[in-house]
């Protein structure tokens, strides 16, 4: 079982603030790093899957970076909006296909 | 309809009964997963499957059984339901270990 740590556990920001979260994972035997967005009463939806050290991906106001050598990934949200309120999950993927999720960062954006 | 579907969406069962949760995907994805959602634990992997007839345990497999005789189906069976198995169960599928996983709508199971 991979030890996946996400911080902070929860975050409250004002509309318009930019924010970022961290996902830490074992750097040995790295294969892929997944980020998912999970709204209350819905199913998780994929944001990014990253495989290369130094990878940066962007989708609208959300972006992510990956450092496989030190075992961390950052997720950034620029100009947070109330609709960004959700739990953000990361999961290191393995060559065997397992996906173990971290406990997530719960983001609340106040108008 | 294309996608991944779970059934039933809601289920109430009694302690000791056997119950099966169904998961069906139409993409012919190789990988399929079962997770349970628990407060304070997020999503915990119960079982996963890399292909038809290949399954393996996740973090919390005790009390659960899976099978995968066909690529598109991955049923999860609780052999003798306990109250601690009350949870929301999510099924997911992906093409490979480095592609995104797609989740079903979830099954809310209550064991009384």
């Amino acid at each position: 079982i991979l030890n996946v740590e996400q911080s902070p556990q929860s975050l409250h920001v004002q509309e318009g603030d930019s924010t970022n979260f961290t996902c830490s994972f074992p750097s040995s035997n790295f294969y892929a790093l997944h980020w998912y967005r999970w709204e209350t009463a819905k199913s998780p939806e994929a944001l990014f899957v990253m495989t290369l050290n130094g990878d940066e991906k962007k989708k609208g106001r959300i972006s992510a970076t990956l450092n496989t050598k030190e075992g961390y990934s950052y997720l950034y949200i620029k100009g947070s909006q109330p609709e960004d309120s959700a739990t953000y999950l990361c999961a290191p993927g393995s060559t065997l296909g397992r996906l173990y999720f971290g406990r997530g960062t719960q983001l609340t954006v106040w108008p | 309809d294309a996608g991944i579907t779970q059934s039933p969406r809601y289920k109430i069962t009694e302690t000791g009964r056997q119950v099966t949760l169904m998961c069906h995907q139409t993409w012919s994805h190789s990988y399929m997963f079962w997770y349970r959602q628990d407060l304070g634990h997020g999503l915990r992997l119960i079982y996963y499957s890399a292909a038809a007839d290949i399954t393996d345990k996740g973090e919390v497999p005790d009390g659960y059984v899976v099978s995968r005789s066909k690529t598109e189906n991955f049923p999860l069976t609780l052999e003798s339901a306990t109250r601690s198995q009350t949870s929301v169960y999510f099924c997911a599928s992906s093409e490979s270990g480095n592609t995104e996983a797609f989740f079903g709508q979830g099954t809310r199971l209550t064991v009384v």
Side-chain angles (χ1 to χ4, degrees):
Chain A
I1 296 175
L2 290 177
N3 185 21
V4 185
E5 298 287 338
Q6 289 191 249
S7 62
Q9 189 174 344
S10 66
L11 198 54
H12 295 255
V13 301
Q14 287 293 129
E15 182 176 356
D17 288 350
S18 293
T19 187
N20 65 85
F21 332 128
T22 304
C23 173
S24 301
F25 52 88
S27 57
S28 58
N29 299 317
F30 174 81
Y31 185 62
L33 193 284
H34 297 231
W35 279 102
Y36 291 79
R37 182 172 181 273
W38 192 9
E39 291 183 71
T40 302
K42 293 189 177 180
S43 302
E45 292 184 343
L47 287 170
F48 308 112
V49 180
M50 296 184 287
T51 56
L52 299 176
N53 185 44
D55 222 356
E56 291 188 29
K57 295 216 172 182
K58 187 175 181 180
K59 185 181 289 188
R61 294 178 291 98
I62 304 176
S63 60
T65 61
L66 178 66
N67 184 321
T68 61
K69 293 181 180 179
E70 296 182 38
Y72 65 84
S73 176
Y74 293 136
L75 188 79
Y76 301 92
I77 302 179
K78 183 178 179 182
S80 303
Q81 299 297 309
E83 57 264 31
D84 295 329
S85 297
T87 297
Y88 292 83
L89 302 169
C90 73
S94 76
T95 53
L96 296 176
R98 289 189 188 95
L99 262 187
Y100 290 114
F101 283 87
R103 296 189 179 185
T105 293
Q106 187 174 11
L107 174 67
T108 304
V109 183
W110 299 102
Chain B
D1 289 337
I4 181 166
T5 53
Q6 294 181 230
S7 61
R9 293 292 311 279
Y10 304 92
K11 176 76 177 178
I12 300 174
T13 191
E14 294 178 337
T15 301
R17 288 195 180 264
Q18 183 181 82
V19 61
T20 296
L21 310 184
M22 305 300 293
C23 180
H24 175 79
Q25 52 105 355
T26 60
W27 296 298
S28 298
H29 283 169
S30 294
Y31 291 91
M32 295 189 76
F33 311 86
W34 274 107
Y35 293 92
R36 56 179 289 173
Q37 174 192 0
D38 296 306
L39 197 64
H41 292 279
L43 285 174
R44 291 193 290 178
L45 182 64
I46 305 171
Y47 269 97
Y48 77 106
S49 169
D53 297 321
I54 301 175
T55 62
D56 204 354
K57 297 177 180 179
E59 301 168 83
V60 288
D62 292 345
Y64 302 96
V65 174
V66 293
S67 62
R68 190 139 177 237
S69 57
K70 291 184 178 181
T71 299
E72 60 266 30
N73 296 323
F74 191 38
L76 176 74
T77 298
L78 286 67
E79 296 182 293
S80 177
T82 65
R83 289 200 179 92
S84 65
Q85 293 177 309
T86 292
S87 187
V88 179
Y89 291 83
F90 285 97
C91 177
S93 72
S94 69
E95 192 174 309
S96 70
N98 62 357
T99 56
E100 62 184 299
F102 294 87
F103 283 79
Q105 324 94 302
T107 295
R108 182 175 293 276
L109 176 69
T110 302
V111 183
V112 297

